[in-house]
Amino acid sequence: MKEVSDSPGKTPVSATPSGAPPSSAAGMPALSSEALLAAVVENSDDAIIAKTLDSVVMSWNKGAERLFGWTADEMIGQSIRRLIPDERQAEEDAILLQILDGKRVSALHTVRLRKTGAPVRVSVTVSPVRDESGTIIGASKIARDVGALETARQQLAESEKRFKMLADNISQLAWIADKEGWKFWYNQRWFDYTGTTLDEMKGWGWEKVHHPDHVDRVVKRLKHSWDTGEIWEDTFPLRGRDGQFRWFLSRASPIRDEAGEIACWFGTNTDINDQRAQAESIETLLNEVNHRSKNMLTLIQSLARRSAPGNDEFLKRFVRRLDALAANQDLLVRRAWTSISLRELIAAQLSFALDIAESKLAYDGPEIEISARAAETLGMALHELATNALKYGALSNVKGHVRVSWDNSDGMFTIRWQEFGGPPVSEPARVGFGTSVICDIPRAALDAESELEFASMGASWHLTCASQSVVSGIV
């Protein structure tokens, strides 16, 4: 190989035609093209090496020294194979064959050795070098450290592998959409269930597997979330590969970038078909039980009338108590016997009194969901209080009125019934069943303090207990 430099340790370069004009730039001294090329090679961050066709190093720049640790004096005249691990020596044979064939080896990612023996991951490009007649006389090699890049690529590949493994094995159907709502990725569960392909589903293609009776509603609500950034949740049927529809609970949340802007949306569809069918069966059973229970209450009313003929007052109170039980049961069945709103319970239990008293009976307090057990206990107590108020208390004249209020704070639940402006009241001479319903049963059932007082301003009832005894969901 013809070289420009004859000085040991300097970087030789291929000869170029003589007489080339010197180059210059503002602030730079004029250099010949050969000197400029030599300067570029010598100062490159990449390792730039020239070698013969039998792998002997002919030039070795500063970048090669930094990358491999050997100086130019140590490498020039030595075989390039000293950089190659034993198990990769065949790579050099393959490279030389391509060079002899006039071909370029581009971006070969491999491993080479530093002077210390430590491996270094490099990207290697090798090109044939020709003399003035076009004959291949050697090769030029550029090597770049890609260890950090390879590590990052490996980490990315591992991360993608873990994500795919997770995404394809969760029980939900999953998808990703861009910030405008264009869906571009689905997990394998989606394709397994729907029997579709990505080409069919990308963008708005997913509408094809939605039930025609629901798709317009779903699209409208979904577009609202795309426009506002609000979390999306909906329930609707999706068609499977067998053509049958199953119900899914679907949710999507925006994924935001560091600036807080929406970058994409991640959504899931959870199969709730079986749970929905079970819930419908339970509701049917509860309605049947409720129907039979009310038939039983009707039978009890009939037996009471036959067992106590002529005792009209007793029968009225007894029937009203049965009606109160039925009202409670209706509410609880509608709420799957879980919890009900205290406000809704009061409205149901006092409906008969509200029809008579109208605005003279008012109630107010925070929205609270109470347990089924608490609903039964409080409902019967309130019904009994309203019955007494209509017969003897504040709702028995035109001037009286009643206020019901409740609160739930600091871990304690309180409810108060207060009568005003009614006829003078006095404590009854004996304690009857009504008093037990108002005071004794709540004390036992709710571990509560329950007091019924007969002050000059009117009768009042006050119940206090731990919130967990009444409020649903508190343990």
Side-chain angles (χ1 to χ4, degrees), residues 349-416:
Q349 287 294 349
L350 302 185
S351 60
F352 74 98
L354 288 168
D355 289 342
I356 300 171
E358 298 179 341
S359 61
K360 293 166 61 178
L361 199 167
Y363 54 92
D364 186 42
E367 287 296 333
I368 298 175
E369 291 284 316
I370 64 174
S371 66
R373 185 181 185 185
E376 290 179 305
T377 303
L378 296 178
M380 289 298 296
L382 290 167
H383 183 275
E384 197 68 29
L385 287 164
T387 299
N388 288 337
L390 282 170
K391 186 173 182 181
Y392 307 110
L395 300 182
S396 65
N397 65 16
V398 295
K399 296 181 179 179
H401 62 279
V402 174
R403 176 177 174 78
V404 183
S405 60
W406 64 91
D407 187 37
N408 181 51
S409 58
D410 299 326
M412 299 299 292
F413 170 81
T414 60
I415 186 169
R416 177 180 291 275

Side-chain angles (χ1 to χ4, degrees), residues 185-387:
W185 175 89
Y186 296 85
N187 70 342
Q188 190 58 41
R189 292 278 188 187
W190 175 278
F191 299 124
D192 291 344
Y193 173 73
T194 61
T196 60
T197 65
L198 179 60
D199 286 339
E200 293 176 292
M201 293 290 100
K202 63 185 178 182
W204 290 86
W206 52 268
E207 294 182 40
K208 300 173 186 175
V209 298
H210 275 252
H211 195 287
D213 293 345
H214 298 268
V215 64
D216 290 341
R217 170 182 62 82
V218 173
V219 170
K220 181 178 180 180
R221 293 184 62 176
L222 196 51
K223 284 184 175 179
H224 174 76
S225 288
W226 298 157
D227 294 339
T228 62
E230 297 175 4
I231 292 176
W232 171 71
E233 182 173 315
D234 205 347
T235 305
F236 46 77
L238 291 174
R239 188 181 68 241
R241 62 169 59 243
D242 60 359
Q244 301 299 311
F245 285 91
R246 293 181 65 85
W247 282 86
F248 286 81
L249 170 64
S250 302
R251 294 187 176 96
S253 297
I255 307 302
R256 300 182 182 273
D257 58 23
E258 294 180 354
E261 298 296 324
I262 295 177
C264 62
W265 289 79
F266 180 76
T268 58
N269 308 90
T270 303
D271 189 334
I272 59 168
N273 201 73
D274 293 341
Q275 294 91 321
R276 186 181 177 92
Q278 290 171 358
E280 290 175 350
S281 296
I282 291 172
E283 183 178 1
T284 300
L285 288 172
L286 285 174
N287 285 329
E288 178 63 21
V289 169
N290 188 39
H291 175 70
R292 295 189 180 189
S293 297
K294 292 174 80 171
N295 285 344
M296 182 64 70
L297 292 177
T298 301
L299 178 60
I300 292 172
Q301 289 180 16
S302 178
L303 289 173
R305 288 191 179 95
R306 292 183 180 183
S307 301
N311 196 338
D312 294 340
E313 185 60 30
F314 163 77
L315 288 174
K316 285 181 181 179
R317 293 180 67 91
F318 185 71
V319 168
R320 284 181 178 175
R321 285 166 178 163
L322 292 179
D323 289 341
L325 284 172
N328 262 3
Q329 192 162 288
D330 282 339
L331 282 175
L332 291 168
V333 167
R334 288 201 299 269
R335 301 293 290 271
W337 213 265
T338 54
S339 65
I340 63 174
S341 163
L342 178 57
R343 188 180 301 276
E344 186 179 359
L345 173 72
I346 293 173
Q349 287 294 349
L350 302 185
S351 60
F352 74 98
L354 288 168
D355 289 342
I356 300 171
E358 298 179 341
S359 61
K360 293 166 61 178
L361 199 167
Y363 54 92
D364 186 42
E367 287 296 333
I368 298 175
E369 291 284 316
I370 64 174
S371 66
R373 185 181 185 185
E376 290 179 305
T377 303
L378 296 178
M380 289 298 296
L382 290 167
H383 183 275
E384 197 68 29
L385 287 164
T387 299

Side-chain angles (χ1 to χ4, degrees), residues 4 8 38 91 104 123 172 188 194 205 248 301 394 436 438 447:
V4 174
E91 288 181 359
R104 181 171 177 262
S123 174
Q172 291 96 341
Q188 190 58 41
T194 61
F248 286 81
Q301 289 180 16
S436 295
I438 297 169
D447 192 21

Side-chain angles (χ1 to χ4, degrees), residues 6-28:
D6 295 326
S7 302
K10 299 295 183 182
T11 303
V13 295
S14 300
T16 57
S18 61
S23 60
S24 63
M28 278 183 66

